[in-house]
mmCIF file of all heavy atoms in Angstrom:
data_model
loop_
_atom_site.group_PDB
_atom_site.id
_atom_site.type_symbol
_atom_site.label_atom_id
_atom_site.label_comp_id
_atom_site.label_asym_id
_atom_site.label_seq_id
_atom_site.Cartn_x
_atom_site.Cartn_y
_atom_site.Cartn_z
ATOM 1 N N TYR A 6 8.864 18.505 13.800
ATOM 2 C CA TYR A 6 8.816 17.135 14.288
ATOM 3 C C TYR A 6 8.747 17.105 15.811
ATOM 4 O O TYR A 6 9.279 17.990 16.494
ATOM 5 C CB TYR A 6 10.046 16.358 13.816
ATOM 6 C CG TYR A 6 10.122 16.190 12.321
ATOM 7 C CD1 TYR A 6 11.216 16.672 11.600
ATOM 8 C CD2 TYR A 6 9.101 15.553 11.623
ATOM 9 C CE1 TYR A 6 11.288 16.534 10.225
ATOM 10 C CE2 TYR A 6 9.167 15.407 10.249
ATOM 11 C CZ TYR A 6 10.255 15.904 9.556
ATOM 12 O OH TYR A 6 10.324 15.765 8.194
ATOM 13 N N THR A 7 8.104 16.065 16.327
ATOM 14 C CA THR A 7 8.024 15.900 17.775
ATOM 15 C C THR A 7 9.374 15.425 18.306
ATOM 16 O O THR A 7 10.263 15.028 17.538
ATOM 17 C CB THR A 7 6.949 14.859 18.144
ATOM 18 O OG1 THR A 7 7.362 13.570 17.639
ATOM 19 C CG2 THR A 7 5.594 15.225 17.538
ATOM 20 N N GLU A 8 9.511 15.473 19.617
ATOM 21 C CA GLU A 8 10.775 15.027 20.239
ATOM 22 C C GLU A 8 11.066 13.570 19.886
ATOM 23 O O GLU A 8 12.208 13.214 19.571
ATOM 24 C CB GLU A 8 10.678 15.188 21.758
ATOM 25 C CG GLU A 8 11.956 14.779 22.491
ATOM 26 C CD GLU A 8 11.847 14.959 23.995
ATOM 27 O OE1 GLU A 8 10.851 15.565 24.454
ATOM 28 O OE2 GLU A 8 12.747 14.491 24.708
ATOM 29 N N ARG A 9 10.027 12.732 19.914
ATOM 30 C CA ARG A 9 10.244 11.316 19.593
ATOM 31 C C ARG A 9 10.627 11.125 18.133
ATOM 32 O O ARG A 9 11.489 10.304 17.808
ATOM 33 C CB ARG A 9 8.979 10.506 19.918
ATOM 34 C CG ARG A 9 9.199 8.988 19.762
ATOM 35 C CD ARG A 9 8.112 8.215 20.466
ATOM 36 N NE ARG A 9 6.844 8.319 19.791
ATOM 37 C CZ ARG A 9 5.669 8.006 20.354
ATOM 38 N NH1 ARG A 9 5.633 7.626 21.615
ATOM 39 N NH2 ARG A 9 4.553 8.103 19.673
ATOM 40 N N GLN A 10 10.005 11.901 17.261
ATOM 41 C CA GLN A 10 10.352 11.790 15.840
ATOM 42 C C GLN A 10 11.792 12.212 15.590
ATOM 43 O O GLN A 10 12.499 11.607 14.788
ATOM 44 C CB GLN A 10 9.376 12.624 15.010
ATOM 45 C CG GLN A 10 7.984 12.009 14.939
ATOM 46 C CD GLN A 10 6.917 12.974 14.447
ATOM 47 O OE1 GLN A 10 7.191 14.151 14.176
ATOM 48 N NE2 GLN A 10 5.680 12.499 14.338
ATOM 49 N N ASN A 11 12.253 13.240 16.287
ATOM 50 C CA ASN A 11 13.656 13.653 16.160
ATOM 51 C C ASN A 11 14.589 12.575 16.702
ATOM 52 O O ASN A 11 15.681 12.366 16.167
ATOM 53 C CB ASN A 11 13.886 14.976 16.897
ATOM 54 C CG ASN A 11 13.404 16.178 16.093
ATOM 55 O OD1 ASN A 11 13.666 16.271 14.898
ATOM 56 N ND2 ASN A 11 12.700 17.098 16.733
ATOM 57 N N GLN A 12 14.157 11.890 17.752
ATOM 58 C CA GLN A 12 14.953 10.779 18.287
ATOM 59 C C GLN A 12 15.072 9.663 17.246
ATOM 60 O O GLN A 12 16.161 9.091 17.058
ATOM 61 C CB GLN A 12 14.306 10.226 19.568
ATOM 62 C CG GLN A 12 14.435 11.139 20.768
ATOM 63 C CD GLN A 12 13.740 10.551 21.990
ATOM 64 O OE1 GLN A 12 12.693 9.919 21.888
ATOM 65 N NE2 GLN A 12 14.320 10.758 23.166
ATOM 66 N N ILE A 13 13.961 9.372 16.580
ATOM 67 C CA ILE A 13 13.965 8.330 15.544
ATOM 68 C C ILE A 13 14.920 8.710 14.416
ATOM 69 O O ILE A 13 15.704 7.889 13.932
ATOM 70 C CB ILE A 13 12.542 8.117 14.995
ATOM 71 C CG1 ILE A 13 11.637 7.528 16.083
ATOM 72 C CG2 ILE A 13 12.559 7.197 13.773
ATOM 73 C CD1 ILE A 13 10.167 7.484 15.702
ATOM 74 N N ILE A 14 14.875 9.984 13.997
ATOM 75 C CA ILE A 14 15.754 10.451 12.918
ATOM 76 C C ILE A 14 17.217 10.250 13.310
ATOM 77 O O ILE A 14 18.028 9.756 12.505
ATOM 78 C CB ILE A 14 15.478 11.941 12.609
ATOM 79 C CG1 ILE A 14 14.093 12.106 11.969
ATOM 80 C CG2 ILE A 14 16.550 12.502 11.667
ATOM 81 C CD1 ILE A 14 13.637 13.549 11.847
ATOM 82 N N ASN A 15 17.568 10.625 14.525
ATOM 83 C CA ASN A 15 18.955 10.480 14.981
ATOM 84 C C ASN A 15 19.382 9.024 15.068
ATOM 85 O O ASN A 15 20.522 8.667 14.722
ATOM 86 C CB ASN A 15 19.129 11.161 16.344
ATOM 87 C CG ASN A 15 19.077 12.680 16.247
ATOM 88 O OD1 ASN A 15 19.500 13.242 15.236
ATOM 89 N ND2 ASN A 15 18.561 13.329 17.269
ATOM 90 N N ILE A 16 18.461 8.158 15.490
ATOM 91 C CA ILE A 16 18.772 6.726 15.572
ATOM 92 C C ILE A 16 19.037 6.164 14.185
ATOM 93 O O ILE A 16 19.993 5.414 13.971
ATOM 94 C CB ILE A 16 17.604 5.972 16.255
ATOM 95 C CG1 ILE A 16 17.570 6.303 17.747
ATOM 96 C CG2 ILE A 16 17.742 4.460 16.043
ATOM 97 C CD1 ILE A 16 16.343 5.766 18.459
ATOM 98 N N VAL A 17 18.193 6.548 13.230
ATOM 99 C CA VAL A 17 18.357 6.056 11.860
ATOM 100 C C VAL A 17 19.663 6.576 11.269
ATOM 101 O O VAL A 17 20.401 5.839 10.595
ATOM 102 C CB VAL A 17 17.156 6.458 10.982
ATOM 103 C CG1 VAL A 17 17.400 6.055 9.533
ATOM 104 C CG2 VAL A 17 15.873 5.805 11.497
ATOM 105 N N LYS A 18 19.980 7.832 11.522
ATOM 106 C CA LYS A 18 21.226 8.416 11.008
ATOM 107 C C LYS A 18 22.444 7.609 11.461
ATOM 108 O O LYS A 18 23.362 7.340 10.685
ATOM 109 C CB LYS A 18 21.381 9.859 11.507
ATOM 110 C CG LYS A 18 20.635 10.903 10.726
ATOM 111 C CD LYS A 18 20.976 12.286 11.299
ATOM 112 C CE LYS A 18 20.264 13.403 10.570
ATOM 113 N NZ LYS A 18 20.598 14.733 11.134
ATOM 114 N N LYS A 19 22.444 7.225 12.738
ATOM 115 C CA LYS A 19 23.608 6.550 13.327
ATOM 116 C C LYS A 19 23.653 5.056 13.032
ATOM 117 O O LYS A 19 24.722 4.442 13.071
ATOM 118 C CB LYS A 19 23.607 6.758 14.847
ATOM 119 C CG LYS A 19 23.806 8.202 15.263
ATOM 120 C CD LYS A 19 23.708 8.345 16.780
ATOM 121 C CE LYS A 19 23.861 9.799 17.211
ATOM 122 N NZ LYS A 19 23.724 9.956 18.688
#
Side-chain angles (χ1 to χ4, degrees):
Y6 296 121
T7 65
E8 181 179 351
R9 187 163 71 197
Q10 288 165 358
N11 281 315
Q12 288 178 324
I13 293 171
I14 291 170
N15 289 328
I16 288 172
V17 175
K18 278 184 180 180
K19 294 177 182 178

